[in-house]
């Protein structure tokens, strides 16, 4: 019987996974993966099964990680995500968590855009740590994503988006997420984006301040290739600031919509 073990074709006489792994595994704590699923149950082997034996607490090779993610998502879903590109504009509470969600989901190319540095007031809701203080958000988030999934491509642009550079920033991007704090920046992107990218989906956010009322945050299609996430009314003000849980709910809506559009292939121009 021929199987694929740790990325290489192999002939084996073993009939079950338990027999096979006991022969190749050096440590009882090793992780055994069968067709993307980690298990130590005794499973009958079949022709062309894909097997990995990975030392516990060690980063698996690219083929093993992709096999596991593919099994979780189903192969067709994972391949679509792997071959897609998404830009995140603004890397604060929304953008940093959108980017991390997409990295964990296996989106193959992320373009991260921001001009700011991390300061203490960011730590209440943004995906940064005390050790990141003073770093550029683009660089700190790229480093963090590399620790989550080093096999995806992360491009960083440390700049402020305006009408002049907008026309060249997203030429090879499938979907763009707006995650600005500034209302003026939000309006600029929403009003000008489809002048240059009429077939590219833009996902914006509005109304995510405060706490509670989780179900008020929704995803709505505003126009062709234009979506809005949030409750559309809650703004940051004294007594109703930006807090991590509600910001994260909205970030989840944006990232979830990205995956939906990519899988349905509605993002391709």
């Amino acid at each position: 019987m021929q199987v694929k073990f740790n990325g290489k074709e192999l002939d084996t006489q073993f009939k079950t996974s338990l027999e096979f792994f006991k022969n190749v595994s050096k440590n009882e704590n090793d992780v055994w993966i069968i067709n993307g699923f980690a298990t130590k149950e005794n499973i009958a082997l079949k022709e062309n099964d894909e097997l990995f034996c990975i030392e516990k607490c060690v980063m698996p090779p690219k083929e093993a990680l992709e096999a596991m993610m593919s099994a979780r998502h189903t192969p067709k879903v994972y391949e679509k995500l792997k071959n897609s590109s998404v830009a995140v504009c603004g890397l604060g509470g929304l953008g940093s968590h959108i980017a991390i969600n997409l990295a964990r989901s296996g989106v193959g190319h992320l373009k991260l855009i921001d001009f700011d540095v991390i300061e203490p007031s960011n730590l209440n809701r943004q995906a940064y740590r005390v050790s990141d203080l003073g770093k550029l958000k683009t660089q700190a988030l790229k480093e963090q994503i590399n620790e989550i999934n080093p096999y995806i491509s992360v491009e960083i642009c440390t700049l402020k988006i305006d009408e002049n550079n907008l026309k060249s920033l997203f030429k090879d991007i499938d979907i763009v997420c707006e995650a600005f704090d500034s209302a003026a920046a939000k309006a600029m992107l929403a009003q000008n984006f489809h002048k240059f990218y009429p077939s590219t989906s833009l996902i914006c956010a509005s109304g995510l301040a405060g706490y509670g009322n989780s179900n008020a945050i929704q995803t709505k299609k505003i126009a062709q290739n234009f979506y809005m996430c949030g409750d559309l009314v809650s703004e940051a003000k004294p007594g109703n600031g930006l807090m991590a849980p509600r910001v994260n709910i909205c970030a989840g809506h944006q990232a979830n919509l990205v995956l939906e559009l990519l899988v349905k292939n509605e993002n391709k121009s």
Side-chain angles (χ1 to χ4, degrees):
M1 180 192 312
Q2 189 172 70
V3 297
K4 195 172 184 179
F5 175 61
N6 284 358
K8 297 180 180 179
E9 301 292 338
L10 178 71
D11 287 318
T12 182
Q13 300 302 314
F14 295 114
K15 303 297 184 183
T16 69
S17 59
L18 196 60
E19 293 174 331
F20 180 88
F21 281 115
K22 281 189 173 181
N23 183 65
V24 299
S25 182
K26 298 178 181 178
N27 190 308
E28 64 179 9
N29 293 320
D30 288 347
V31 179
W32 300 350
I33 300 171
I34 306 170
N35 298 323
F37 189 74
T39 179
K40 290 197 173 179
E41 292 183 16
N42 196 21
I43 297 173
L45 295 180
K46 303 185 297 297
E47 191 78 19
N48 298 319
D49 276 349
E50 190 167 21
L51 312 170
F52 289 91
C53 181
I54 300 170
E55 186 179 351
K56 196 168 185 178
C57 300
V58 172
M59 181 65 186
K62 182 178 181 181
E63 292 82 1
L65 183 64
E66 289 192 339
M68 288 186 286
M69 294 184 72
S70 179
R72 292 292 190 272
H73 298 339
T74 74
K76 290 183 180 180
V77 168
Y78 179 71
E79 284 302 312
K80 286 182 178 181
L81 300 182
K82 178 183 175 182
N83 295 318
S84 298
S85 57
V86 179
V88 182
C89 305
L91 303 177
L94 277 176
S96 60
H97 289 290
I98 291 169
I100 286 174
N101 281 332
L102 297 179
R104 291 191 187 281
S105 300
V107 172
H109 179 78
L110 294 175
K111 187 168 189 175
L112 309 179
I113 306 172
D114 201 301
F115 62 90
D116 209 355
V117 298
I118 300 157
E119 58 181 83
S121 66
N122 300 148
L123 299 179
N124 83 313
R125 68 194 183 283
Q126 302 182 16
Y128 303 110
R129 301 154 294 193
V130 170
S131 59
D132 293 322
L133 291 173
K135 291 182 182 179
L136 290 165
K137 290 183 178 179
T138 47
Q139 188 60 50
L141 192 56
K142 181 177 181 178
E143 291 170 2
Q144 190 174 155
I145 288 173
N146 188 59
E147 293 179 0
I148 294 169
N149 187 345
Y151 304 126
I152 65 175
S153 168
V154 179
E155 176 187 1
I156 60 175
C157 295
T158 305
L159 54 78
K160 187 172 184 177
I161 300 175
D162 57 34
E163 292 182 46
N164 294 319
N165 57 31
L166 175 60
K167 65 183 70 175
S168 62
L169 278 175
F170 308 111
K171 288 183 177 178
D172 299 314
I173 299 297
D174 297 321
I175 297 178
V176 174
C177 286
E178 174 273 312
F180 294 136
D181 289 333
S182 163
K186 288 176 179 287
M188 182 282 298
L189 187 63
Q191 291 168 6
N192 293 284
F193 182 82
H194 286 116
K195 294 178 184 177
F196 307 110
Y197 311 100
S199 300
T200 303
S201 292
L202 175 65
I203 304 173
C204 296
S206 178
L208 48 130
Y211 56 89
N213 203 13
S214 301
N215 293 336
I217 294 180
Q218 298 182 5
T219 299
K220 296 182 179 181
K221 186 172 185 177
I222 305 301
Q224 184 67 27
N225 297 320
F226 182 41
Y227 302 83
M228 189 71 70
C229 298
D231 65 18
L232 308 186
V233 294
S234 299
E235 61 178 326
K237 58 185 179 182
N240 195 58
L242 295 168
M243 301 181 72
R246 213 160 188 265
V247 170
N248 268 279
I249 292 170
C250 192
H253 271 256
Q254 288 183 266
N256 189 51
L257 179 57
V258 168
L259 300 185
E260 180 183 356
L261 296 176
L262 291 175
V263 172
K264 289 182 176 179
N265 209 31
E266 293 181 4
N267 57 292
K268 298 292 185 180
S269 55

